[in-house]
Amino acid sequence: MLATLSGSRAADGHPVPQNQQDSATFGPSPANDDGLMVPRRHKPGRRAFLDGNFARRKLPLAVSEYCIWDTELPGFGLRVRPTGRYYWFVRLRHRGKHRRITLGCTDDVDAVLARTQARRLLAEVALDGLPKRTVVKATPILSDFVETYWGDIARYWKPSTQKRNLGAWERELLPIFGAIRVADIIPADVLRWRDSLAGGREVTFNRTLPVLASLLKYAEQLRLRRKGSNPCRGMSRYKRPPCERYLTPLEYRRVGAALRDAEASSPGEVAIVRLLLYTGARISEIRDLRWEWVKPPHLALPDSKTGQKTVWLNSQALAVLEAVPRHEGCSLVFPNKRGTGSLAFQSWWERFRRTCALPDVRVHDLRHSFASTAIMDNVPLATIGKLLGHALPETTAKYAHLSDDVIGDAAQRISGSLAQAIGLRL
């Protein structure tokens, strides 16, 4: 029967015969070691359109197995074994090596599924070596992600930073992004959130955006998002006018008089304000100060916003510390009445600044005023940065404009001296 069946020949220019949609006839098989993915077109071969009808036919058996190639899909074929069982297979060439992959028995795998699998394998081989788009696995919603991994993210933050960022998550991010899957947050979502805070809550967006960016960056590291897909990257923040408030000489006199009046009733709070004025330190560095850190002529802080820090003490600051009484069993310099924690300073300051007729002055403005006074006294910016404990010179550079008046006065004095030298009258 095999001898009487005639096979179709491939037309010139085609790797396999054109599909004749005829599953009734096939020709003799060529050798399988010809080195090609499919039989050469100049060799006769058993070919037929391999569909379900063809697979259900009772094909002639031979002493050894033989193959029937599909007329439509190159490389797809059917193996007929002497036992009478038929097997789908696909033959392909991957990186110079020939492989024949069995797709299953015709009793278990139908022709459509076998053809689909063959197409997929051939496509994978054809695309091998080309850049592939990273496939992101199914990801949890952001609220579950935060609950699971917050400890990993926050362990390197300071306690105050943990508290602030957790509050930003619960108040601002959870209602907006909590129900969205980690991999599904896109820049448009962040933009809509940004626009919703316009008109009064711009500062909230500026302070909360880094929290969301940190969460999604960690998601990239865990491969829950594609690398470089953080939607917060390049997101512009709202531009806000800088909060630069400096005490004038008249305001300094007001503060000094009010401190003298409040010294009897609030000695601890008054001492804190005076140390802030004399050192330019941050409020947390003075309010939470411990006696073991006081090492005249400086304070050796083991930790601060910028890490370990040295706060230099002038004679006025040393006098303030010498007048502060020590509390037995408490290492804090300014403890509360129970001695269980630091003094509650902020509420007292809000009342105190009103007595000075300075309701807009923040505690941090005392630090700005320290830098302003240093500029007016011709102290170099690099030295001011050391005194304030700035980690980067760019942070101190924001005070550079305060030296304009000093430079102008110096220019005036120099020009006056030169004019006098050449005999001009001013």
Side-chain angles (χ1 to χ4, degrees):
M1 179 177 181
L2 291 175
T4 58
L5 293 174
S6 60
S8 58
R9 296 292 300 275
D12 291 341
H14 293 81
V16 295
Q18 296 181 351
N19 181 21
Q20 301 177 4
Q21 299 296 330
D22 181 9
S23 62
T25 60
F26 56 91
S29 175
N32 288 334
D33 56 352
D34 53 10
L36 297 177
M37 181 182 294
V38 295
R40 294 180 183 274
R41 65 177 181 84
H42 60 270
K43 290 185 178 182
R46 299 189 181 95
R47 296 185 179 88
F49 180 69
L50 302 180
D51 56 5
N53 292 331
F54 187 86
R56 287 188 292 270
R57 292 179 55 186
K58 189 173 183 180
L59 300 175
L61 304 179
V63 177
S64 60
E65 71 174 34
Y66 63 92
C67 300
I68 303 173
W69 299 98
D70 185 61
T71 57
E72 181 182 85
L73 180 62
F76 180 50
L78 182 68
R79 293 163 56 195
V80 181
R81 291 189 172 179
T83 58
R85 296 179 66 85
Y86 312 149
Y87 291 87
W88 305 111
F89 74 95
V90 60
R91 186 181 179 189
L92 46 84
R93 182 169 55 191
H94 182 218
R95 299 186 180 184
K97 295 183 179 180
H98 292 271
R99 298 173 57 193
R100 186 169 68 174
I101 302 175
T102 301
L103 304 175
C105 180
T106 56
D107 296 337
D108 303 326
V109 181
D110 61 23
V112 176
L113 179 59
R115 185 180 295 272
T116 302
Q117 292 177 345
R119 289 185 186 276
R120 178 180 59 81
L121 292 172
L122 291 168
E124 289 179 357
V125 171
L127 298 176
D128 184 42
L130 297 179
K132 296 182 179 180
R133 184 174 182 177
T134 304
V135 178
V136 179
K137 59 183 179 182
T139 59
I141 59 177
L142 191 60
S143 58
D144 293 340
F145 172 76
V146 171
E147 182 179 353
T148 304
Y149 297 106
W150 186 266
D152 295 344
I153 301 172
R155 67 173 59 186
Y156 302 106
W157 296 341
K158 299 181 185 299
S160 59
T161 304
Q162 293 182 22
K163 181 179 179 181
R164 182 178 65 250
N165 289 352
L166 184 59
W169 159 255
E170 293 176 345
R171 291 190 303 270
E172 306 298 335
L173 298 176
L174 178 59
I176 305 298
F177 301 100
I180 306 178
R181 293 193 177 275
V182 173
D184 295 340
I185 300 176
I186 59 176
D189 299 324
V190 182
L191 281 173
R192 282 193 294 268
W193 170 53
R194 179 183 185 275
D195 295 342
S196 68
L197 297 178
R201 302 191 64 202
E202 294 85 356
V203 175
T204 300
F205 174 81
N206 292 347
R207 292 180 177 176
T208 310
L209 181 65
V211 180
L212 179 62
S214 176
L215 289 172
L216 298 181
K217 179 181 178 180
Y218 192 64
E220 289 185 19
Q221 295 173 347
L222 296 175
R223 299 184 179 180
L224 297 178
R225 291 183 62 91
R226 289 187 296 106
K227 187 176 181 180
S229 65
N230 195 330
C232 300
R233 179 177 298 177
M235 187 66 60
S236 60
R237 304 188 189 184
Y238 286 104
K239 293 183 179 180
R240 303 288 295 171
C243 298
E244 296 179 353
R245 178 71 164 85
Y246 309 98
L247 295 179
T248 64
L250 176 60
E251 291 172 340
Y252 269 119
R253 288 193 290 271
R254 287 186 198 171
V255 172
L259 288 175
R260 288 190 294 271
D261 295 339
E263 190 169 6
S265 59
S266 305
E269 291 84 349
V270 170
I272 290 177
V273 174
R274 285 175 174 167
L275 286 175
L276 293 175
L277 289 170
Y278 294 146
T279 63
R282 299 180 179 90
I283 177 59
S284 61
E285 297 167 353
I286 301 300
R287 180 194 60 208
D288 303 331
L289 183 64
R290 295 182 178 272
W291 284 114
E292 58 264 29
W293 303 341
V294 180
K295 300 179 180 179
H298 61 266
L299 304 177
L301 305 180
D303 194 16
S304 69
K305 183 179 180 181
T306 55
Q308 292 185 350
K309 180 180 178 181
T310 299
V311 178
W312 293 96
L313 301 173
N314 48 37
S315 58
Q316 293 84 356
L318 286 171
V320 172
L321 283 174
E322 290 174 358
V324 176
R326 292 177 179 262
H327 299 267
E328 185 178 356
C330 182
S331 62
L332 290 170
V333 179
F334 302 106
N336 55 23
K337 293 181 179 180
R338 297 181 179 179
T340 56
S342 301
L343 196 63
F345 179 80
Q346 187 60 38
S347 59
W348 178 88
W349 171 259
E350 292 178 358
R351 295 191 303 270
F352 172 79
R353 65 183 182 179
R354 288 197 296 270
T355 64
C356 306
L358 300 172
D360 61 330
V361 175
R362 305 168 303 163
V363 177
H364 199 70
D365 292 331
L366 302 181
R367 181 174 168 87
H368 293 324
S369 300
F370 178 88
S372 173
T373 304
I375 289 286
M376 298 305 174
D377 289 340
N378 296 322
V379 178
L381 282 177
T383 304
I384 295 174
K386 291 291 185 180
L387 291 172
L388 295 179
H390 287 161
L392 300 174
E394 292 83 356
T395 309
T396 315
K398 68 180 180 181
Y399 299 110
H401 70 282
L402 297 175
S403 62
D404 293 345
D405 294 339
V406 177
I407 296 174
D409 292 341
Q412 183 66 29
R413 291 195 302 270
I414 294 171
S415 62
S417 300
L418 290 174
Q420 186 177 4
I422 62 179
L424 294 178
R425 293 183 179 180
L426 298 178

